Amino acid sequence: SGESGAGKTESTKLLLQHIMNLCKGNSQLEQQILQVNPLLEAFGNAQTVMNDNSSRFGKYIQLRFQKNTVQGAKLSEYLLEKSRVVQQDTGERNFHIFYYMFAGLSSEEKEIYGLLDPSLYRYISGRFGTQDVAQHWKHKYQEVCNALDMVGFQEQEQVDMRAILAGVLSLGNVTFEPDESNGPVKVSEASKGWLKAAAVSHKNCWQKPYGYDAFSHWWWSCCCSLCADARDSIAKMVYGRVFGWIVSKINELLAENVDPEVELREIGILDIFGFENFAVNRFEQLCINLANEQLQHFFNHHIFQLEQAAYKEEGLPWETITFNNNEPILNLLLAKPLGLLSLLDEQSAFPQATDKTFVDKLNSSFKGNLHFQPARGRVLGFSIIHYAGKVQYAASGFLEKNRDTLPANVRGLFISSITPLLILLHIHHEPRPILARVKCGDEVLWLDELLIFPCPWQHSLMVLMERMYSANPHFVRCIKPNSQKEPGVVDNQVVLLQLRYNGLLETIRIRRDGFSWRPSFEEFAER
């Protein structure tokens, strides 16, 4: 654990290498475990203002052993930041894979996938970079291709995947305008080429007679903002499915091939996104910071509560060490039925609810709570006093992101596509339909063809924490040396702040004054 840019992912890679070196077992499997990293980082990492290679998802790696030899491994992924596909703040980039593709594909391949100059795409932010950067990305693209081959992706699967990614970029350039003759909205004349490019990239799934007409009909029946939201929802959903599919394929490759009766031991390594506090903090930052709050509480539970309870149980003379308990913050966020997330789910279930009604509900529910502050003035937001400091959240988009809705007939289009990968990515995900009310100018539209996908992130965090509490944990606390992303520079104040809010000063004290090494009597006698 540690804040964004502290070195968690790099430390994880070093730890994996170290464990593999100690095993001296199945060399091919060990190499495969190490070589999946470029693939995960290309699709799951991005440049942020805090870190040039920031993990935008959490991963839990389970290594399974038999007689000190690795027999298999499994990856679990958590909370991929899908919103990054459609929006990046100033100084940030989209996921690495998009830049790698532009740098690594030949001119002929770009023509096949309908890719033009990267500066033309709305989903690709910032300057494309210098010649040196482009060369680096080209090298990274080759690494990704090698990893895809090594994991066992078929050539056609790789072609389909690149086509889907290119289609996502083209879809982002589709815009809308009023339609005087057929209804309130239509695809703008200027962007019809982009719609066609997106459809061609997805092997005509939106250009077949049924598909294209239904797609167009849906676009033209709603207001511009709703159409833009639906466009972005499709892009996020498709990218998220591609990422999940890659993880599934990796797990197929790394699965152990042993008798089911054989008991395997396990080492799990959790590499999860660090605490974040940006100029603008959104729903994604709240999810990330909640995960970090839970990990901090887990750390406190093991290092302070269980440790000191053991001393008390054995009747040892001991002066209790106090620590910064973040349980009240977790109660604020997770309590039922009046925690922040419960209130968010409640508001998300009301078709007429808005981000403003959600914020009003928070302000009335948490009035006087020491860890909650309403926003000042007319700002639509709120602040949480986290264990690592105060974070101000912009509430715009909270309900929409928590609902994770999608036009119903769009799912049908993907399933009826002639691209095998698109069908595979959508056929096993069963959403539930909802009735939604949307205001379009002075007119209220009722949409009974929206699908809401069960938001899995809260459940996946709960499962993760259950795994943590059932294990025998070792903690690696990563400390960020400075805020400028500079090598070889230690900023004492930046370091001291992290030592304080992580509880490391108290940890040092309990390790120094307490009994940090407790061998069994057999071990002691042996020595």
Side-chain angles (χ1 to χ4, degrees):
S1 61
E3 67 179 58
S4 183
K8 297 178 295 299
T9 299
E10 293 304 314
S11 296
T12 299
K13 288 192 278 193
L14 289 170
L15 182 55
L16 274 173
Q17 287 173 21
H18 181 60
I19 292 171
M20 296 306 166
N21 191 48
L22 291 173
C23 290
K24 303 287 190 219
N26 181 342
S27 58
Q28 185 187 358
L29 178 63
E30 287 158 14
Q31 284 309 304
Q32 286 170 336
I33 291 170
L34 296 175
Q35 285 170 5
V36 298
N37 261 314
L39 203 51
L40 292 170
E41 289 190 14
F43 284 85
N45 288 27
Q47 178 182 312
T48 69
V49 291
M50 296 176 77
N51 182 358
D52 290 348
N53 186 33
S54 178
S55 299
R56 307 317 298 164
F57 72 108
K59 66 174 179 280
Y60 184 60
I61 308 164
Q62 294 162 272
L63 301 173
R64 287 164 177 160
F65 297 84
Q66 183 185 9
K67 295 181 180 175
N68 300 330
T69 302
V70 179
Q71 295 294 339
K74 183 184 177 185
L75 280 167
S76 302
E77 50 102 357
Y78 302 92
L79 283 172
L80 178 70
E81 189 188 39
K82 294 183 293 185
S83 62
R84 181 166 294 272
V85 175
V86 302
Q87 179 188 17
Q88 307 97 43
D89 289 326
T90 305
E92 305 213 340
R93 292 191 189 276
N94 209 322
F95 289 103
H96 292 326
I97 187 61
F98 293 112
Y99 304 92
Y100 296 173
M101 278 176 60
F102 278 113
L105 289 171
S106 67
S107 301
E108 293 78 14
E109 287 173 315
K110 285 178 189 170
E111 196 170 327
I112 291 169
Y113 298 118
L115 285 174
L116 305 176
D117 188 279
S119 63
L120 297 174
Y121 293 93
R122 196 175 67 86
Y123 287 167
I124 300 286
S125 67
R127 292 183 297 112
F128 190 64
T130 62
Q131 191 61 40
D132 287 347
V133 171
Q135 199 60 38
H136 171 68
W137 286 342
K138 189 174 182 178
H139 171 71
K140 285 289 188 181
Y141 180 73
Q142 196 52 54
E143 272 188 12
V144 170
C145 291
N146 294 341
L148 286 168
D149 290 337
M150 182 273 301
V151 171
F153 286 84
Q154 302 299 316
E155 181 59 35
Q156 190 56 51
E157 289 177 326
Q158 295 186 39
V159 169
D160 286 353
M161 183 174 67
R162 286 189 282 267
I164 289 170
L165 294 176
V168 163
L169 293 181
S170 295
L171 184 63
N173 283 12
V174 175
T175 56
F176 310 93
E177 63 188 16
D179 184 2
E180 306 300 333
S181 55
N182 293 326
V185 173
K186 66 176 182 178
V187 173
S188 67
E189 288 298 323
S191 68
K192 279 191 174 176
W194 291 112
L195 181 61
K196 185 176 180 182
V200 169
S201 292
H202 292 133
K203 286 214 180 154
N204 300 323
C205 83
W206 297 337
Q207 286 196 315
K208 293 154 74 178
Y210 156 75
Y212 188 74
D213 288 347
F215 192 61
S216 302
H217 171 75
W218 194 87
W219 284 134
W220 296 351
S221 65
C222 302
C223 61
C224 285
S225 62
L226 190 62
C227 287
D229 286 346
R231 174 202 63 207
D232 290 347
S233 293
I234 293 165
K236 291 186 290 186
M237 179 267 298
V238 169
Y239 190 86
R241 297 281 169 79
V242 169
F243 187 74
W245 172 68
I246 289 170
V247 171
S248 297
K249 293 283 285 186
I250 288 171
N251 284 335
E252 285 175 23
L253 172 82
L254 302 181
E256 60 271 10
N257 185 21
V258 295
D259 188 328
E261 301 296 312
V262 174
E263 186 182 352
L264 298 177
R265 288 172 168 267
E266 188 176 291
I267 294 176
I269 304 170
L270 178 66
D271 170 23
I272 205 159
F273 21 57
F275 187 86
E276 291 184 344
N277 189 359
F278 295 141
V280 180
N281 300 288
R282 298 188 171 88
F283 178 75
E284 293 77 16
Q285 276 66 52
L286 182 69
C287 297
I288 286 169
N289 291 343
L290 167 62
N292 280 274
E293 286 283 1
Q294 289 183 296
L295 285 175
Q296 180 66 18
H297 185 264
F298 178 63
F299 176 82
N300 288 342
H301 177 73
H302 275 273
I303 298 298
F304 299 115
Q305 291 171 315
L306 293 185
E307 184 91 355
Q308 296 190 93
Y311 296 170
K312 190 174 180 181
E313 190 182 329
E314 295 198 17
L316 299 170
W318 180 253
E319 185 181 329
T320 301
I321 292 175
T322 57
F323 60 95
N324 187 15
N325 190 347
N326 66 333
E327 208 161 303
I329 306 168
L330 286 176
N331 288 336
L332 167 74
L333 296 169
L334 297 174
K336 293 182 178 180
L338 293 175
L340 188 148
L341 294 184
S342 292
L343 295 175
L344 178 60
D345 286 341
E346 175 193 279
Q347 290 286 299
S348 299
F350 293 143
Q352 68 271 33
T354 64
D355 293 320
K356 186 179 184 309
T357 62
F358 168 59
V359 170
D360 290 344
K361 188 84 173 174
L362 295 185
N363 291 341
S364 61
S365 300
F366 300 133
K367 190 175 182 180
N369 190 303
L370 296 176
H371 298 283
F372 178 88
Q373 288 182 4
R376 292 181 177 176
R378 295 187 175 183
V379 176
L380 186 64
F382 56 91
S383 295
I384 303 286
I385 317 297
H386 286 283
Y387 78 98
K390 177 179 168 181
V391 179
Q392 185 171 339
Y393 295 99
S396 179
F398 261 59
L399 263 62
E400 188 255 327
K401 288 172 181 175
N402 193 52
R403 285 174 181 146
D404 204 13
T405 51
L406 192 71
N409 52 358
V410 169
R411 180 173 180 266
L413 297 178
F414 282 121
I415 291 173
S416 63
S417 166
I418 57 171
T419 303
L421 180 55
L422 267 179
I423 300 169
L424 181 70
L425 294 179
H426 293 84
I427 205 152
H428 298 302
H429 290 78
E430 283 298 329
R432 58 186 173 86
I434 62 164
L435 190 67
R437 189 175 76 166
V438 180
K439 195 164 185 191
C440 184
D442 294 328
E443 187 181 356
V444 172
L445 303 174
W446 283 96
L447 301 174
D448 57 357
E449 288 199 6
L450 276 180
L451 296 178
I452 184 163
F453 286 84
C455 190
W457 67 270
Q458 292 184 45
H459 175 71
S460 66
L461 269 184
M462 188 175 71
V463 171
L464 174 64
M465 294 317 297
E466 283 174 2
R467 277 180 179 164
M468 297 291 101
Y469 277 97
S470 66
N472 176 29
H474 298 258
F475 298 96
V476 179
R477 307 306 295 245
C478 300
I479 303 295
K480 191 172 181 175
N482 64 76
S483 301
Q484 287 72 47
K485 302 192 269 194
E486 290 291 333
V489 176
V490 175
D491 183 326
N492 287 341
Q493 288 308 307
V494 169
V495 170
L496 186 59
L497 180 66
Q498 292 168 82
L499 294 177
R500 283 192 174 129
Y501 76 62
N502 278 322
L504 291 182
L505 299 179
E506 292 85 354
T507 305
I508 290 164
R509 191 175 150 207
I510 203 168
R511 286 286 178 260
R512 184 190 63 199
D513 297 349
F515 302 85
S516 55
W517 186 62
R518 294 191 286 275
S520 65
F521 292 115
E522 289 79 8
E523 283 178 281
F524 177 70
E526 181 91 6
R527 286 174 71 89

